[in-house]
Amino acid sequence: MAIKDHSGKGLGTEPSARPEAEGYSPDQIKVLEGLDAVRKRPAMYVGSTGPDGLHHLVYEAVDNSVDEHMAGFGETIEVTIHIDGSVTVVDNGRGIPTGMHSIQKKSAAEVALTMLHAGGKFEEGAYKVSGGLHGVGISVVNALSEWLEMEIWQDSQVFEQRYERGKPTAPLKVTGKTKKRGTKITFKPDGEVFESLEFSFDVLAQRLRELAFLNKGLAITLKDERREREQVFRYKGGIVSFVEHLNEAKTPLHKPILIEVEKSDVMLEVALQYNDGYSENLFAFANNINTREGGTHLVGFKAALTRTINTYAYANDLLKKDAESLTGDDVREGLTAVVSVKLRNPQFEGQTKAKLGNSEVKGIVEAAVNEALGTYFEENPPIARRARKTRRIASCSSWRGTRPAAALPATPRLSSWMAGRCRFCSWSRSGIRGRVTIATPFRATVASASRLS
């Protein structure tokens, strides 16, 4: 029956009058139980069903092991690609809890592997900082695997359980005794879900290398039984070693600069180094997650770098007072930098965590980098002495007035300044050295890599 207002205009029809021929009935509202939602829409959880999504399964399993390391438990992680296409991830952390869950009435390990949004990352007691926040990581791996076998070494006992397409074949049981501690997860991706089941050693190596750089002292081993290949990643220098690795094929203009800050439950590490190239190479991480699309931590770093360089340049007559300021593109030319933040409650966009959204992080990073770099530039005597020479950059006749405007950028490039020379002049100066420890509210430390062990 049609419904009309007092003017006679139609307002629609009563629910009972809608024709069933439309094909949309109450019974068509489906509720997906357990891990069915993951298998129905896998791309929502791992990004895609192509190679990226396939490798994301390994990342999720490894991230749990890294979280154990960050919590102070476990120093080694082993990842093995088997001949049959399955992958094993082993750590020496505390092991997934094996006791009976008081509410779910099954083992806590089974709860973690079969229920979305179940895990130890929601309570503050288990993990101070972690990359797994949503409680869906290992359960997604389980859901999208043809089979998964879990082995836990805990309290001198060996616990085992097998799953097939997310469903347990039997309860968790004790199968032996051991002196080891940790967790072993072996899984084979499901060919019904993924377009390809071929793991790339190089793709996995890149991510595992990143994790080793970001977690100083953590040893990660990658083995490939298909080609009898093995590589171990362990870096005492942390993200400083990361920057040096990124600049390996380039000519660095100075030793890497390291900034370490802790404020308001946010731990910040920044390492940066300029090279003689013209492209920027920036990597941003939040709780070890590679935030490929950036986020507030990267925005804060870029803003601070531009402001600090301009402030120092004007204060020391590197640029004339009426000269155009250096732009963000200018100061990042030839820059290689790694920005890593670790915080208790990061806000990521989606399960793939490609972008950090915490608004408070931008201000913390910007203030810390601005203060630390500013003090480094001001208090490092070699830089101060060379700065008096570099005023020629802004007034150099080769730069202003005598060359076609189209042939020159709007402002002198920072990589030339860091190298100690103007690209259009013949003079040069020596490299950057020294160490500055800054007593600030941020407890920031800025050091040259030559003093790091």
Side-chain angles (χ1 to χ4, degrees), residues 146-163:
E146 179 183 333
W147 54 263
L148 180 147
E149 293 177 346
M150 172 177 61
E151 189 171 331
I152 301 170
W153 308 308
Q154 196 174 82
D155 299 328
S156 301
Q157 293 180 307
V158 179
F159 299 84
E160 293 186 25
Q161 191 174 24
R162 179 182 171 90
Y163 297 82

Side-chain angles (χ1 to χ4, degrees), residues 212-283:
F213 280 131
L214 295 166
N215 296 274
K216 194 175 350 182
L218 174 62
I220 305 179
T221 302
L222 175 60
K223 300 178 182 179
D224 189 345
E225 294 179 347
R226 302 167 303 178
R227 299 172 180 84
E228 297 184 354
R229 187 177 177 187
E230 180 175 335
Q231 198 165 353
V232 179
F233 307 103
R234 186 172 185 175
Y235 303 98
K236 293 183 178 180
I239 63 171
V240 168
S241 298
F242 197 172
V243 167
E244 291 174 335
H245 169 76
L246 294 170
N247 274 339
E248 223 168 25
K250 302 170 185 175
T251 304
L253 303 181
H254 58 93
K255 294 290 184 180
I257 298 172
L258 173 67
I259 300 172
E260 294 175 307
V261 171
E262 185 171 351
K263 181 177 185 286
S264 302
D265 289 330
V266 176
M267 292 174 283
L268 167 68
E269 281 186 297
V270 177
L272 60 95
Q273 183 182 47
Y274 283 91
N275 57 65
D276 62 352
Y278 300 106
S279 60
E280 62 181 78
N281 197 13
L282 305 183
F283 287 83

Side-chain angles (χ1 to χ4, degrees), residues 117-132:
H117 310 294
K121 315 298 173 61
F122 300 107
E123 297 294 333
E124 294 186 358
Y127 296 92
K128 181 180 178 182
V129 173
S130 70

Side-chain angles (χ1 to χ4, degrees), residues 21 46 63 70 118 153 188-189 202 233 298 332 346 401-403 440:
V46 295
D63 284 347
M70 289 196 294
W153 308 308
K188 184 176 182 180
D202 293 333
F233 307 103
L298 188 58
R332 294 193 302 273
T402 62
R403 299 177 69 88
T440 71

